Amino acid sequence: MPSIIEELKHGFQSAIIAAFGADYADVDPLLVPASNPKFGDYQSNLSLSLAKQLGDKPRAIAEKLLAHLQLSDICLPPEIAGPGFINLTLKPSYLETQLSGLNKDSRLGVELAQPIQKVIVDFSSPNIAKEMHVGHLRSTIIGDSIARVLEFRGHDVLRLNHVGDWGTQFGMLTAYLKEVYPSALDTADALDLGDLVTFYKQAKVRFDSDPDFKETARNGVVKLQSGDTETLKAWQLLCAQSRREFQKIYDLLDIKLNERGESFYNGLLPGVVEDLDGKKLLETDDGAQCVFLDGFTNKDGDRLPLIVKKTDGGYNYATTDLAAITYRVNEDRADRIIYVTDAGQANHFAQIFQVAKKAGLLPDNVEPVHVPFGLVLGEDGKKLKTRSGDTVKLQDLLDEAITRARNDLENRLQEEGRQETAEFIENVSTTVGLAAVKYADLSQNRNSNYVFSFDKMLTLQGNTAPYMIYAYARVQSISREGDIDFQTAGKDGTILLRDETELNLAKHLLLLAEIIKTVEKDLLPNRLCEYLYELSKKFNRFYENCPVLKSEEPIRTSRLILCDLTARTLKLGLFLLGIPVLERM
Ligand code: ARG
């Protein structure tokens, strides 16, 4: 079913042609949701924008348009306001019909995309032998939500974990372990990720200070890249170690990912460089092979190079990403490739997209998108750190969220004099704690930095996960109280919208499809959060104003349907954010 705004636009387009002729067929009706409810639901300032072209007064243009506008099934008679704005108010009867349609639709009006695309979402992507940090957490949460939205729209989504599992760091690490802890290189489980990180740091210090060690480490990389069995085995052990730790986080957060790390592209790297060379794009700069970029200059105004083969003959992060693009275009047949990383990598992606286009690796019909996000800050406004100044471990952070959610819950149970099973407490605290972390991240515009505050994200008031889950549980409590099975209660019932708060809730429920489409396009999950927050506020206003269980039929059933539709919308919306609901909390 077309969205309301699409139907209105359609009506306007016909009226424009009827009033001003086919030359105006492509004119945008400039229709937007009204800024203030006193102007109705939608507003168009088309007549103002056409005034010059048509050489007529905006109000006169508006009148001509209205003479041809056939929207009486959808709207009350349109009004001309001020200098010539056209204000539209939706008809209750129209909203009632639309809402009945929504009620019968398990997808709540969200159609499958046409045509569907093959979309790669490259997200999370931590680095082996390093701790997964809050930046990776943001990527994981945002990437998962984007993938969910695209999947729900029917796209063929490939979720890829581009883990950093290749390169100098392994030569360094294996060389160091060979010296200090050789058994780690041939025994599974000899180390956990924490040890690995410590060894990595020590190895780095050696690498930077000891030229002989540096040489050994370099040889290690060469051995790895040339497929030396012993080195490969050691590398695999180290990867397995890290992978297990990462998986714990993914399991906890219910994240599905396919690992295809940097090493996957190793064999393709020489080909990438040869290809660039064949296309006459390579230049030698200080012994390194590079492509010079347009639009990227240093402070003297000289063009900057993108290095694809280092002076020592090794390949780097950029070469790997160029190989990955080629593979994703040719083998995966991607239509859209989405990379979710911190904003600090914006230049990297702009550069590799540019080079890939120049080299013809990235055809025009494939859309590469970098989805950047800001930093996670502590409550002091600085980069998030532990009290001792170390980087925060994700596992600790998630555990703390769960513990705090449990404390809040136990306090609440005591205040309310409620007795609940240990299982209930465990389930509610885990769900709420993790949901709070996810929602706090997703509800911010990802482009900005956000302040990580357990207190704020866990409160039951405001734009938080606990508030949203509570709103859902509240509707479920209505069905329990009235002993109502929503599955059967309202399926054939008629919807009647009389109260102002019912109309407002209904209009908002009908906007879901539109919102999902915007998220699909702009890849900003915070739009969905805002929508859901508004929805729960509108529901609360309705619920305060309109008795549900105590009202008479047929109003009672109609209101129950409104409750059920609200709950289903919240559940679906939260699902698309990677957040499960609770029937009780
Ligand atoms: N491993 C990188 C990091 O930790 C992120 C990789 C993102 N994906 C990519 N194709 N470059 O910053």
Side-chain angles (χ1 to χ4, degrees):
M1 110 188 155
S3 69
I4 297 179
I5 194 151
E6 280 161 5
E7 285 208 49
L8 295 175
K9 279 190 177 156
H10 209 77
F12 263 76
Q13 264 142 3
S14 313
I16 295 170
I17 298 173
F20 310 116
D23 286 354
Y24 290 83
D26 292 330
V27 171
D28 181 346
L30 301 176
L31 209 57
V32 291
S35 51
N36 183 325
K38 78 172 188 252
F39 302 133
D41 297 314
Y42 292 90
Q43 198 169 44
S44 160
N45 55 12
L46 175 68
S47 11
L48 284 83
S49 79
L50 283 181
K52 209 163 165 200
Q53 215 173 335
L54 289 168
D56 205 347
K57 291 207 179 65
R59 282 193 79 99
I61 296 174
E63 271 158 29
K64 281 185 196 151
L65 262 174
L66 291 196
H68 291 94
L69 194 62
Q70 291 174 344
L71 287 174
S72 59
D73 292 345
I74 307 182
C75 300
L76 299 172
E79 281 172 18
I80 303 175
F85 297 116
I86 300 176
N87 292 344
L88 303 171
T89 303
L90 299 169
K91 258 183 164 171
S93 58
Y94 172 74
L95 291 168
E96 288 165 357
T97 321
Q98 293 294 102
L99 218 54
S100 304
L102 204 63
N103 189 36
K104 293 188 186 88
D105 180 3
S106 62
R107 299 183 52 86
L108 295 171
V110 185
E111 295 165 314
L112 292 173
Q114 263 312 340
I116 61 160
Q117 290 190 315
K118 173 82 185 218
V119 189
I120 289 178
V121 188
D122 172 326
F123 71 107
S124 193
S125 310
N127 301 314
I128 300 284
K130 294 194 195 167
E131 207 84 59
M132 205 170 162
H133 57 69
V134 283
H136 296 124
L137 180 67
R138 282 209 88 173
S139 173
T140 308
I141 293 171
I142 296 169
D144 177 56
S145 173
I146 287 175
R148 282 169 184 261
V149 169
L150 295 168
E151 283 155 359
F152 188 66
R153 285 278 287 152
H155 294 297
D156 181 5
V157 177
L158 179 58
R159 298 157 163 255
L160 286 185
N161 200 1
H162 190 85
V163 291
D165 63 355
W166 204 241
T168 332
Q169 77 250 44
F170 288 96
M172 200 172 80
L173 194 62
T174 43
Y176 189 71
L177 287 173
K178 208 168 231 164
E179 265 181 44
V180 301
Y181 197 1
S183 64
L185 296 176
D186 55 18
T187 332
D189 298 329
L191 293 172
D192 67 24
L193 185 62
D195 302 331
L196 217 50
V197 172
T198 315
F199 283 127
Y200 180 81
K201 284 185 192 148
Q202 293 167 354
K204 178 89 174 83
V205 174
R206 272 293 289 286
F207 187 84
D208 291 335
S209 62
D210 177 348
D212 288 343
F213 179 77
K214 203 171 195 162
E215 191 51 36
T216 322
R218 287 250 166 84
N219 283 335
V221 188
V222 175
K223 276 192 186 165
L224 182 64
Q225 294 187 336
S226 60
D228 172 68
T229 344
E230 199 195 0
T231 320
L232 267 182
K233 187 167 178 230
W235 169 74
Q236 274 160 356
L237 278 181
L238 299 179
C239 289
Q241 227 62 284
S242 292
R243 194 174 289 134
R244 244 195 323 271
E245 296 295 318
F246 299 157
Q247 196 55 44
K248 282 188 202 156
I249 307 272
Y250 298 142
D251 288 345
L252 195 58
L253 293 172
D254 188 23
I255 306 284
K256 307 257 177 315
L257 263 165
N258 305 290
E259 183 179 322
R260 199 196 269 172
E262 294 180 12
S263 62
F264 179 86
Y265 305 98
N266 183 46
L268 304 173
L269 303 178
V272 168
V273 176
E274 273 163 35
D275 184 49
L276 294 173
D277 197 23
K279 288 172 178 151
K280 302 275 172 275
L281 291 167
L282 281 192
E283 289 176 47
T284 311
D285 189 43
D286 249 350
Q289 301 286 307
C290 28
V291 183
F292 277 91
L293 297 154
D294 308 323
F296 292 90
T297 49
N298 64 14
K299 54 182 185 320
D300 298 328
D302 302 327
R303 285 182 314 154
L304 279 180
L306 176 76
I307 299 179
V308 292
K309 191 169 181 181
K310 296 184 287 183
T311 319
D312 66 7
Y315 304 102
N316 61 14
Y317 189 50
T319 330
T320 309
D321 261 325
L322 288 172
I325 289 189
T326 313
Y327 192 90
R328 291 166 184 189
V329 169
N330 297 335
E331 305 299 321
D332 296 321
R333 305 240 143 241
D335 298 301
R336 199 178 186 199
I337 311 174
I338 297 171
Y339 300 82
V340 189
T341 80
D342 62 287
Q345 299 197 33
N347 272 341
H348 165 75
F349 285 107
Q351 294 175 350
I352 63 153
F353 295 165
Q354 187 191 102
V355 171
K357 279 187 189 149
K358 261 194 189 167
L361 309 175
L362 194 58
D364 285 343
N365 57 354
V366 180
E367 184 200 10
V369 203
H370 178 223
V371 169
F373 52 80
L375 301 172
V376 184
L377 305 176
E379 290 187 78
D380 55 3
K382 299 201 188 103
K383 238 177 141 167
L384 190 69
K385 289 261 152 64
T386 61
R387 236 170 261 140
S388 55
D390 293 329
T391 42
V392 178
K393 283 194 189 171
L394 289 195
Q395 186 74 47
D396 295 349
L397 183 127
L398 298 175
D399 287 345
E400 180 160 356
I402 297 171
T403 310
R404 287 184 184 235
R406 178 176 296 118
N407 292 342
D408 288 355
L409 173 63
E410 280 168 351
N411 289 340
R412 198 155 48 80
L413 292 180
Q414 199 163 24
E415 274 165 30
E416 294 171 9
R418 273 166 64 190
Q419 284 290 346
E420 298 288 355
T421 62
E423 197 192 345
F424 175 90
I425 295 179
E426 176 65 29
N427 180 36
V428 173
S429 356
T430 310
T431 305
V432 170
L434 298 175
V437 174
K438 286 189 181 182
Y439 194 90
D441 195 322
L442 294 168
S443 58
Q444 305 291 318
N445 183 316
R446 57 172 166 74
N447 290 302
S448 35
N449 297 343
Y450 92 98
V451 176
F452 191 96
S453 158
F454 282 119
D455 287 336
K456 287 214 183 86
M457 68 178 71
L458 282 163
T459 132
L460 265 173
Q461 264 94 46
N463 193 10
T464 65
Y467 175 83
M468 307 301 305
I469 300 177
Y470 186 73
Y472 175 84
R474 188 170 176 189
V475 187
Q476 301 310 309
S477 77
I478 300 170
S479 74
R480 279 193 299 275
E481 228 175 276
D483 203 13
I484 283 149
D485 175 9
F486 279 135
Q487 296 288 324
T488 50
K491 282 291 166 281
D492 308 308
T494 322
I495 297 179
L496 300 159
L497 305 167
R498 300 291 147 79
D499 194 88
E500 188 68 32
T501 60
E502 288 176 303
L503 285 163
N504 288 338
L505 177 60
K507 285 173 198 168
H508 200 72
L509 284 165
L510 288 166
L511 288 179
L512 177 71
E514 199 64 31
I515 296 294
I516 302 285
K517 283 188 209 163
T518 358
V519 178
E520 175 184 357
K521 191 156 64 78
D522 304 343
L523 309 174
L524 287 169
N526 63 303
R527 298 255 158 94
L528 179 55
C529 296
E530 278 152 30
Y531 169 83
L532 294 174
Y533 183 44
E534 262 320 296
L535 176 65
S536 41
K537 286 199 283 193
K538 293 205 153 94
F539 174 77
N540 287 344
R541 251 167 256 144
F542 150 74
Y543 197 62
E544 278 155 23
N545 255 2
C546 303
V548 177
L549 293 172
K550 294 207 172 72
S551 58
E552 301 287 329
E553 287 300 351
I555 294 286
R556 187 173 185 269
T557 299
S558 167
R559 290 188 175 161
L560 281 168
I561 298 175
L562 279 178
C563 292
D564 183 40
L565 270 173
T566 303
R568 282 158 60 198
T569 307
L570 284 172
K571 184 172 181 174
L572 173 60
L574 289 171
F575 169 80
L576 296 177
L577 298 170
I579 296 174
V581 290
L582 291 165
E583 301 304 305
R584 261 175 1 102
M585 71 185 276

